[in-house]
Amino acid sequence: MSNGVRSFPLLRLPIDCLKHIVQRMEEIDKFAISLVSKRTQSLVTSTNLLKCRKINICVRQAVSIRIDLPSHNRLICSFENYQVQLDNLSPRNIKANVSLGQTERFIHNKPSYRFEDWLNHVLGVYGRCGVRTVIFDRLLPNFDTQVREILKTLRPEKFLYLGLPTFENKNEGSESIHEVFMQNFDEIILSNWTDVTLDDLLVMNSEEIKIRSDRVIDEKILNRFIKHWIAGSNKRMKYLTIGPQSNFQLVTIDKAAVLKGIRHVLVPKECR
C-alpha cells in the first residue's frame, strides 16, 4: 500500500485476462514483468508477442545486450558493473540498466544472476533469436588467457567485430587471438587493427573477412596469402576486404606486387 492506494493482485486474474493485459503492454513493460518470477516469464512468453529482429552484445565501457525490435526501437540491458576476473569469470549480483529509446528505463537487480543468466533470460523471452553479433571495442580482463570461455559466455553466432588493436605483446597474444579467428563466423571484422600477419590470415575461418586499418598490410603478405588460398587454404572464405579505417583516408596499394605470379583479370569499377 502506497499513498493510500492498494496494490492490484494482477496474478490472481484468470489466465486469458492476464494474456489480454500483457498483449497491450508497452515492450519494455512486457520485458519488466518477465523478470518478476518464472510464472510471469512463462506468462509473457505464452503470448508469443515478444519478437525481435536480432540480438547483439557490445563490449564497450559497459557490457550490453541489445535487442533490435520489429518497431526499429532497441531494448538495451546494460551492465556497467560487469567485470570479469581471472578467478571469477561469471560474477553474480550484476545490475541491469534496461532502457527503450531515450525516455523509458528501469534498473533491475537479481542477486543470484550472472551475465549468463541475464543472457539466458533474454534468449528465453525472445526465443527465436540467438546472439547474432558480438562487438568488442575494448578487451575484457584476461581476454588473452580466457578467450574460449568468454566466447562461450557471449555466444556469437554469425558475426564478430573486433574494434581494437591486437595485443601489445604479439608473441604472447597470438595463440589466444587465433582461437577467435578459427571460429566459424559468417563474417569477422578487424577495425583499428595495427598489425596483421600471414599466420593471422591463414587461421581465419570466416566466409567474409574485413580488415580496416590506418596501415596497409604488406603487399608481400597479401600475395602469399592469395596464393595459399588458391592452393586450398581458408576454404570457407568467399570475400576479403581490406581498406582504410576512415573513408577520408587515402590508401595506395601496389596492385602489381599483390598479384605478382597470380593469374587474374582486372574488372572495371562500373562492372557489377
Side-chain angles (χ1 to χ4, degrees), residues 66 71 76 84 90 132 157 192 209 230-231 259:
R66 303 188 171 209
S71 62
I76 299 177
V84 178
S90 301
R132 185 169 180 264
E157 292 185 353
N192 287 316
I209 299 168
I230 292 172
L259 298 172

Side-chain angles (χ1 to χ4, degrees), residues 87-100:
D87 58 347
N88 187 15
L89 291 174
S90 301
R92 297 182 184 274
N93 196 27
I94 57 173
K95 293 181 180 179
N97 293 279
V98 182
S99 61
L100 179 67

Side-chain angles (χ1 to χ4, degrees), residues 155-246:
R155 291 187 270 178
E157 292 185 353
K158 297 289 186 180
F159 307 106
L160 185 68
Y161 179 100
L162 295 174
L164 42 86
T166 191
F167 303 105
E168 293 182 6
N169 191 328
K170 185 72 176 181
N171 293 329
E172 292 182 6
S174 59
E175 182 177 346
S176 56
I177 200 66
H178 284 176
E179 289 188 33
V180 179
F181 292 161
M182 287 188 291
Q183 305 298 313
N184 293 336
F185 299 118
D186 288 355
E187 182 179 320
I188 187 168
I189 300 176
L190 306 183
S191 185
N192 287 316
W193 219 258
T194 57
D195 183 26
V196 178
T197 68
L198 179 61
D199 286 342
D200 292 337
L201 292 171
L202 289 175
V203 299
M204 291 185 186
N205 200 32
S206 299
E207 292 185 5
E208 186 167 356
I209 299 168
K210 293 182 180 179
I211 300 172
R212 303 169 184 167
S213 177
D214 294 335
R215 190 178 73 185
V216 178
I217 301 174
D218 186 88
E219 286 90 345
K220 292 181 179 179
I221 290 178
L222 290 176
N223 179 264
R224 290 173 63 191
F225 173 65
I226 293 172
K227 288 178 178 177
H228 277 290
W229 179 60
I230 292 172
S233 73
N234 301 74
K235 293 182 179 180
R236 295 186 74 244
M237 190 187 79
K238 296 179 180 179
Y239 304 99
L240 172 66
T241 304
I242 298 174
Q245 184 63 36
S246 169

Side-chain angles (χ1 to χ4, degrees), residues 18-56:
L18 278 173
K19 288 183 178 181
H20 187 75
I21 293 172
V22 171
Q23 287 172 357
R24 280 154 180 76
M25 285 182 173
E26 297 293 335
E27 196 75 25
I28 193 169
D29 296 324
K30 293 176 185 177
F31 184 75
I33 199 173
S34 76
L35 291 165
V36 174
S37 66
K38 289 184 179 180
R39 183 183 174 189
T40 58
Q41 180 182 352
S42 177
L43 171 65
V44 170
T45 55
S46 68
T47 63
N48 200 30
L49 290 176
L50 283 180
K51 302 182 185 299
C52 69
R53 295 184 294 117
K54 60 184 178 181
I55 296 173
N56 298 333

Side-chain angles (χ1 to χ4, degrees), residues 57-197:
I57 294 177
C58 294
V59 181
R60 291 181 172 142
Q61 184 175 359
V63 179
S64 60
I65 302 172
R66 303 188 171 209
I67 305 152
D68 285 11
L69 306 173
S71 62
H72 296 284
N73 270 340
R74 178 180 286 170
L75 188 67
I76 299 177
C77 301
S78 179
F79 309 92
E80 295 183 2
N81 62 333
Y82 176 44
Q83 294 294 328
V84 178
Q85 305 297 330
L86 185 60
D87 58 347
N88 187 15
L89 291 174
S90 301
R92 297 182 184 274
N93 196 27
I94 57 173
K95 293 181 180 179
N97 293 279
V98 182
S99 61
L100 179 67
Q102 300 297 318
T103 56
E104 298 179 87
R105 61 185 64 241
F106 66 88
I107 298 175
H108 194 76
N109 181 30
K110 280 185 172 291
S112 63
Y113 264 29
R114 302 167 299 167
F115 178 84
E116 294 96 314
D117 298 311
W118 276 103
L119 182 56
N120 286 336
H121 185 90
V122 169
L123 296 178
V125 172
Y126 296 92
R128 295 186 179 181
C129 285
V131 178
R132 185 169 180 264
T133 307
V134 173
I135 300 170
F136 284 93
D137 276 334
R138 68 173 175 90
L139 284 176
L140 288 171
N142 310 302
F143 183 86
D144 55 342
T145 58
Q146 303 288 342
V147 60
R148 189 182 299 274
E149 287 76 11
I150 289 174
L151 283 180
K152 283 182 180 178
T153 298
L154 303 182
R155 291 187 270 178
E157 292 185 353
K158 297 289 186 180
F159 307 106
L160 185 68
Y161 179 100
L162 295 174
L164 42 86
T166 191
F167 303 105
E168 293 182 6
N169 191 328
K170 185 72 176 181
N171 293 329
E172 292 182 6
S174 59
E175 182 177 346
S176 56
I177 200 66
H178 284 176
E179 289 188 33
V180 179
F181 292 161
M182 287 188 291
Q183 305 298 313
N184 293 336
F185 299 118
D186 288 355
E187 182 179 320
I188 187 168
I189 300 176
L190 306 183
S191 185
N192 287 316
W193 219 258
T194 57
D195 183 26
V196 178
T197 68

